[in-house]
Short mmCIF file of all heavy atoms in Angstrom, two decimals:
data_model
loop_
_atom_site.label_atom_id
_atom_site.label_comp_id
_atom_site.label_asym_id
_atom_site.label_seq_id
_atom_site.Cartn_x
_atom_site.Cartn_y
_atom_site.Cartn_z
N LEU J 123 -25.69 -9.97 -19.13
CA LEU J 123 -25.05 -9.64 -17.87
C LEU J 123 -23.62 -10.18 -17.81
O LEU J 123 -22.71 -9.52 -17.32
CB LEU J 123 -25.85 -10.19 -16.68
CG LEU J 123 -27.16 -9.50 -16.38
CD1 LEU J 123 -27.91 -10.25 -15.29
CD2 LEU J 123 -26.92 -8.07 -15.95
N PHE J 124 -23.43 -11.39 -18.29
CA PHE J 124 -22.13 -12.02 -18.24
C PHE J 124 -21.18 -11.52 -19.32
O PHE J 124 -19.97 -11.61 -19.19
CB PHE J 124 -22.24 -13.55 -18.32
CG PHE J 124 -22.84 -14.13 -17.08
CD1 PHE J 124 -24.13 -14.62 -17.07
CD2 PHE J 124 -22.12 -14.17 -15.90
CE1 PHE J 124 -24.68 -15.15 -15.93
CE2 PHE J 124 -22.66 -14.68 -14.74
CZ PHE J 124 -23.95 -15.19 -14.75
N SER J 125 -21.72 -11.00 -20.39
CA SER J 125 -20.86 -10.53 -21.47
C SER J 125 -20.60 -9.02 -21.38
O SER J 125 -19.83 -8.48 -22.17
CB SER J 125 -21.48 -10.87 -22.82
OG SER J 125 -22.70 -10.18 -22.99
N ALA J 126 -21.24 -8.37 -20.44
CA ALA J 126 -21.04 -6.92 -20.30
C ALA J 126 -19.61 -6.62 -19.87
O ALA J 126 -18.98 -7.38 -19.14
CB ALA J 126 -22.02 -6.36 -19.27
N LYS J 127 -19.11 -5.50 -20.36
CA LYS J 127 -17.77 -5.09 -19.98
C LYS J 127 -17.76 -4.69 -18.50
O LYS J 127 -18.71 -4.05 -18.03
CB LYS J 127 -17.31 -3.89 -20.83
CG LYS J 127 -17.13 -4.23 -22.27
CD LYS J 127 -16.67 -3.01 -23.03
CE LYS J 127 -16.50 -3.36 -24.51
NZ LYS J 127 -16.09 -2.19 -25.27
N PRO J 128 -16.71 -5.05 -17.78
CA PRO J 128 -16.66 -4.65 -16.38
C PRO J 128 -16.52 -3.14 -16.24
O PRO J 128 -15.92 -2.48 -17.08
CB PRO J 128 -15.40 -5.36 -15.85
CG PRO J 128 -14.59 -5.66 -17.05
CD PRO J 128 -15.55 -5.80 -18.20
N VAL J 129 -17.11 -2.63 -15.20
CA VAL J 129 -17.02 -1.21 -14.93
C VAL J 129 -15.64 -0.92 -14.34
O VAL J 129 -15.21 -1.57 -13.39
CB VAL J 129 -18.11 -0.78 -13.93
CG1 VAL J 129 -17.96 0.68 -13.56
CG2 VAL J 129 -19.49 -1.06 -14.50
N GLU J 130 -14.95 0.03 -14.93
CA GLU J 130 -13.63 0.38 -14.43
C GLU J 130 -13.74 1.64 -13.59
O GLU J 130 -14.39 2.61 -13.98
CB GLU J 130 -12.66 0.60 -15.59
CG GLU J 130 -12.35 -0.69 -16.32
CD GLU J 130 -11.16 -0.56 -17.25
OE1 GLU J 130 -10.32 0.32 -17.01
OE2 GLU J 130 -11.11 -1.33 -18.20
N THR J 131 -13.13 1.59 -12.43
CA THR J 131 -13.12 2.74 -11.54
C THR J 131 -11.83 3.51 -11.76
O THR J 131 -10.75 2.93 -11.75
CB THR J 131 -13.20 2.27 -10.08
OG1 THR J 131 -14.34 1.44 -9.93
CG2 THR J 131 -13.31 3.43 -9.14
N GLN J 132 -11.97 4.80 -11.95
CA GLN J 132 -10.80 5.63 -12.20
C GLN J 132 -10.03 5.84 -10.90
O GLN J 132 -10.60 6.08 -9.85
CB GLN J 132 -11.23 6.97 -12.78
CG GLN J 132 -10.07 7.80 -13.24
CD GLN J 132 -10.55 8.97 -14.08
OE1 GLN J 132 -11.72 9.14 -14.33
NE2 GLN J 132 -9.61 9.77 -14.51
N LEU J 133 -8.72 5.75 -10.99
CA LEU J 133 -7.87 5.98 -9.83
C LEU J 133 -7.86 7.46 -9.48
O LEU J 133 -7.94 8.31 -10.36
CB LEU J 133 -6.44 5.53 -10.12
CG LEU J 133 -6.19 4.04 -10.12
CD1 LEU J 133 -4.78 3.75 -10.61
CD2 LEU J 133 -6.37 3.48 -8.74
N PRO J 134 -7.71 7.74 -8.18
CA PRO J 134 -7.59 9.14 -7.80
C PRO J 134 -6.23 9.68 -8.24
O PRO J 134 -5.33 8.91 -8.56
CB PRO J 134 -7.68 9.09 -6.27
CG PRO J 134 -7.20 7.73 -5.91
CD PRO J 134 -7.64 6.84 -7.05
N PRO J 135 -6.07 10.98 -8.22
CA PRO J 135 -4.76 11.54 -8.59
C PRO J 135 -3.70 11.14 -7.57
O PRO J 135 -4.00 10.93 -6.39
CB PRO J 135 -5.01 13.06 -8.56
CG PRO J 135 -6.23 13.24 -7.72
CD PRO J 135 -7.04 12.00 -7.86
N GLU J 136 -2.49 11.02 -8.05
CA GLU J 136 -1.38 10.67 -7.16
C GLU J 136 -0.85 11.97 -6.56
O GLU J 136 0.24 12.43 -6.87
CB GLU J 136 -0.30 9.92 -7.93
CG GLU J 136 -0.75 8.56 -8.39
CD GLU J 136 0.32 7.80 -9.14
OE1 GLU J 136 1.51 8.18 -9.09
OE2 GLU J 136 -0.03 6.81 -9.80
N ASP J 137 -1.65 12.55 -5.67
CA ASP J 137 -1.26 13.78 -5.00
C ASP J 137 -1.02 13.49 -3.52
O ASP J 137 -1.25 12.37 -3.05
CB ASP J 137 -2.32 14.87 -5.20
CG ASP J 137 -3.69 14.47 -4.67
OD1 ASP J 137 -3.81 13.47 -3.92
OD2 ASP J 137 -4.66 15.16 -4.99
N ALA J 138 -0.58 14.49 -2.80
CA ALA J 138 -0.22 14.30 -1.39
C ALA J 138 -1.43 13.88 -0.56
O ALA J 138 -1.31 13.01 0.31
CB ALA J 138 0.40 15.56 -0.83
N LYS J 139 -2.60 14.47 -0.83
CA LYS J 139 -3.78 14.11 -0.05
C LYS J 139 -4.11 12.63 -0.19
O LYS J 139 -4.37 11.94 0.79
CB LYS J 139 -4.99 14.93 -0.49
CG LYS J 139 -4.91 16.39 -0.18
CD LYS J 139 -6.19 17.15 -0.46
CE LYS J 139 -6.88 16.81 -1.75
NZ LYS J 139 -8.01 17.70 -2.06
N HIS J 140 -4.10 12.14 -1.42
CA HIS J 140 -4.46 10.75 -1.66
C HIS J 140 -3.32 9.80 -1.26
O HIS J 140 -3.57 8.68 -0.83
CB HIS J 140 -4.87 10.55 -3.12
CG HIS J 140 -6.20 11.15 -3.41
ND1 HIS J 140 -6.33 12.45 -3.86
CD2 HIS J 140 -7.46 10.66 -3.28
CE1 HIS J 140 -7.62 12.72 -4.02
NE2 HIS J 140 -8.32 11.65 -3.66
N ALA J 141 -2.08 10.25 -1.40
CA ALA J 141 -0.96 9.41 -0.97
C ALA J 141 -0.99 9.19 0.53
O ALA J 141 -0.78 8.07 1.01
CB ALA J 141 0.38 10.04 -1.39
N LEU J 142 -1.29 10.25 1.29
CA LEU J 142 -1.41 10.09 2.74
C LEU J 142 -2.57 9.16 3.07
O LEU J 142 -2.44 8.27 3.90
CB LEU J 142 -1.58 11.43 3.44
CG LEU J 142 -1.81 11.34 4.96
CD1 LEU J 142 -0.66 10.61 5.64
CD2 LEU J 142 -2.00 12.72 5.55
N GLY J 143 -3.68 9.35 2.40
CA GLY J 143 -4.83 8.46 2.61
C GLY J 143 -4.48 7.01 2.31
O GLY J 143 -4.87 6.10 3.05
N ALA J 144 -3.75 6.79 1.23
CA ALA J 144 -3.33 5.42 0.89
C ALA J 144 -2.40 4.85 1.95
O ALA J 144 -2.49 3.67 2.29
CB ALA J 144 -2.64 5.42 -0.48
N LEU J 145 -1.53 5.68 2.50
CA LEU J 145 -0.65 5.22 3.59
C LEU J 145 -1.46 4.91 4.85
O LEU J 145 -1.15 3.94 5.56
CB LEU J 145 0.43 6.25 3.89
CG LEU J 145 1.56 6.34 2.88
CD1 LEU J 145 2.46 7.54 3.17
CD2 LEU J 145 2.39 5.06 2.87
N LEU J 146 -2.50 5.68 5.11
CA LEU J 146 -3.38 5.38 6.25
C LEU J 146 -4.02 4.01 6.08
O LEU J 146 -4.08 3.21 7.01
CB LEU J 146 -4.45 6.46 6.40
CG LEU J 146 -3.97 7.86 6.80
CD1 LEU J 146 -5.10 8.88 6.64
CD2 LEU J 146 -3.43 7.87 8.22
N VAL J 147 -4.51 3.75 4.88
CA VAL J 147 -5.12 2.44 4.58
C VAL J 147 -4.07 1.33 4.72
O VAL J 147 -4.34 0.28 5.32
CB VAL J 147 -5.74 2.45 3.17
CG1 VAL J 147 -6.15 1.04 2.74
CG2 VAL J 147 -6.93 3.41 3.11
N ARG J 148 -2.88 1.57 4.19
CA ARG J 148 -1.81 0.57 4.27
C ARG J 148 -1.45 0.27 5.73
O ARG J 148 -1.23 -0.88 6.10
CB ARG J 148 -0.59 1.03 3.49
CG ARG J 148 0.49 -0.04 3.44
CD ARG J 148 1.41 0.13 2.28
NE ARG J 148 0.68 -0.03 1.03
CZ ARG J 148 1.15 0.32 -0.16
NH1 ARG J 148 2.35 0.83 -0.28
NH2 ARG J 148 0.44 0.13 -1.25
N ALA J 149 -1.39 1.31 6.56
CA ALA J 149 -1.10 1.10 7.97
C ALA J 149 -2.18 0.24 8.63
O ALA J 149 -1.88 -0.64 9.43
CB ALA J 149 -0.97 2.44 8.70
N ALA J 150 -3.43 0.50 8.28
CA ALA J 150 -4.53 -0.28 8.84
C ALA J 150 -4.49 -1.74 8.39
O ALA J 150 -4.82 -2.64 9.16
CB ALA J 150 -5.87 0.34 8.45
N LYS J 151 -4.04 -1.97 7.18
CA LYS J 151 -3.99 -3.33 6.63
C LYS J 151 -2.71 -4.08 6.98
O LYS J 151 -2.60 -5.28 6.70
CB LYS J 151 -4.12 -3.28 5.11
CG LYS J 151 -5.47 -2.87 4.60
CD LYS J 151 -5.46 -2.85 3.08
CE LYS J 151 -6.81 -2.60 2.49
NZ LYS J 151 -6.77 -2.64 1.01
N ALA J 152 -1.74 -3.41 7.58
CA ALA J 152 -0.42 -4.02 7.80
C ALA J 152 -0.47 -5.29 8.62
O ALA J 152 0.36 -6.18 8.43
CB ALA J 152 0.52 -3.01 8.46
N ASP J 153 -1.43 -5.40 9.51
CA ASP J 153 -1.54 -6.60 10.35
C ASP J 153 -2.50 -7.63 9.76
O ASP J 153 -2.93 -8.55 10.44
CB ASP J 153 -1.96 -6.23 11.78
CG ASP J 153 -3.32 -5.54 11.82
OD1 ASP J 153 -3.93 -5.31 10.76
OD2 ASP J 153 -3.76 -5.20 12.94
N ASN J 154 -2.81 -7.47 8.48
CA ASN J 154 -3.71 -8.37 7.75
C ASN J 154 -5.13 -8.37 8.29
O ASN J 154 -5.86 -9.35 8.12
CB ASN J 154 -3.15 -9.80 7.71
CG ASN J 154 -1.87 -9.87 6.94
OD1 ASN J 154 -1.74 -9.29 5.86
ND2 ASN J 154 -0.89 -10.57 7.48
N ALA J 155 -5.52 -7.30 8.95
CA ALA J 155 -6.89 -7.13 9.43
C ALA J 155 -7.27 -5.67 9.22
O ALA J 155 -6.64 -4.78 9.78
CB ALA J 155 -6.99 -7.51 10.90
N TYR J 156 -8.27 -5.44 8.41
CA TYR J 156 -8.72 -4.09 8.12
C TYR J 156 -10.05 -3.93 8.85
O TYR J 156 -11.10 -4.26 8.33
CB TYR J 156 -8.86 -3.94 6.61
CG TYR J 156 -9.07 -2.53 6.09
CD1 TYR J 156 -8.47 -1.43 6.68
CD2 TYR J 156 -9.85 -2.31 4.97
CE1 TYR J 156 -8.64 -0.15 6.18
CE2 TYR J 156 -10.03 -1.04 4.44
CZ TYR J 156 -9.42 0.03 5.05
OH TYR J 156 -9.60 1.30 4.54
N LEU J 157 -9.98 -3.42 10.07
CA LEU J 157 -11.13 -3.42 10.97
C LEU J 157 -11.91 -2.12 10.95
O LEU J 157 -11.38 -1.06 10.60
CB LEU J 157 -10.66 -3.72 12.40
CG LEU J 157 -9.90 -5.04 12.56
CD1 LEU J 157 -9.40 -5.18 13.99
CD2 LEU J 157 -10.77 -6.22 12.18
N TYR J 158 -13.15 -2.21 11.38
CA TYR J 158 -14.04 -1.05 11.41
C TYR J 158 -13.43 0.11 12.20
O TYR J 158 -13.54 1.26 11.78
CB TYR J 158 -15.40 -1.46 12.01
CG TYR J 158 -16.31 -0.28 12.22
CD1 TYR J 158 -16.98 0.30 11.14
CD2 TYR J 158 -16.47 0.29 13.48
CE1 TYR J 158 -17.80 1.41 11.32
CE2 TYR J 158 -17.29 1.39 13.66
CZ TYR J 158 -17.95 1.95 12.58
OH TYR J 158 -18.74 3.04 12.75
N GLU J 159 -12.82 -0.19 13.33
CA GLU J 159 -12.23 0.87 14.15
C GLU J 159 -11.17 1.65 13.38
O GLU J 159 -11.06 2.88 13.52
CB GLU J 159 -11.59 0.29 15.42
CG GLU J 159 -12.55 -0.37 16.37
CD GLU J 159 -12.83 -1.83 16.06
OE1 GLU J 159 -12.34 -2.35 15.03
OE2 GLU J 159 -13.55 -2.46 16.85
N GLU J 160 -10.41 0.95 12.57
CA GLU J 160 -9.37 1.60 11.76
C GLU J 160 -10.00 2.45 10.65
O GLU J 160 -9.57 3.58 10.41
CB GLU J 160 -8.44 0.55 11.17
CG GLU J 160 -7.66 -0.19 12.23
CD GLU J 160 -7.04 -1.48 11.73
OE1 GLU J 160 -7.68 -2.20 10.93
OE2 GLU J 160 -5.91 -1.77 12.14
N VAL J 161 -11.02 1.92 10.00
CA VAL J 161 -11.73 2.65 8.95
C VAL J 161 -12.34 3.92 9.52
O VAL J 161 -12.25 5.00 8.92
CB VAL J 161 -12.81 1.76 8.30
CG1 VAL J 161 -13.72 2.57 7.39
CG2 VAL J 161 -12.16 0.61 7.53
N GLU J 162 -12.92 3.80 10.70
CA GLU J 162 -13.54 4.95 11.37
C GLU J 162 -12.50 6.05 11.65
O GLU J 162 -12.75 7.23 11.41
CB GLU J 162 -14.19 4.46 12.66
CG GLU J 162 -15.07 5.45 13.34
CD GLU J 162 -15.78 4.84 14.53
OE1 GLU J 162 -15.16 4.11 15.32
OE2 GLU J 162 -16.98 5.12 14.67
N VAL J 163 -11.33 5.65 12.13
CA VAL J 163 -10.27 6.62 12.42
C VAL J 163 -9.75 7.25 11.12
O VAL J 163 -9.54 8.46 11.05
CB VAL J 163 -9.12 5.97 13.22
CG1 VAL J 163 -7.90 6.87 13.29
CG2 VAL J 163 -9.60 5.63 14.63
#
């Protein structure tokens, strides 16, 4: 278990849909609190 290679998650494409989503996440995290209400929105 300890010597197993870590699972790598592939990044999404750097397209407009995902860039906007990333900006939404960044806006939610800007105040150093990523809250359920923000995730829900």
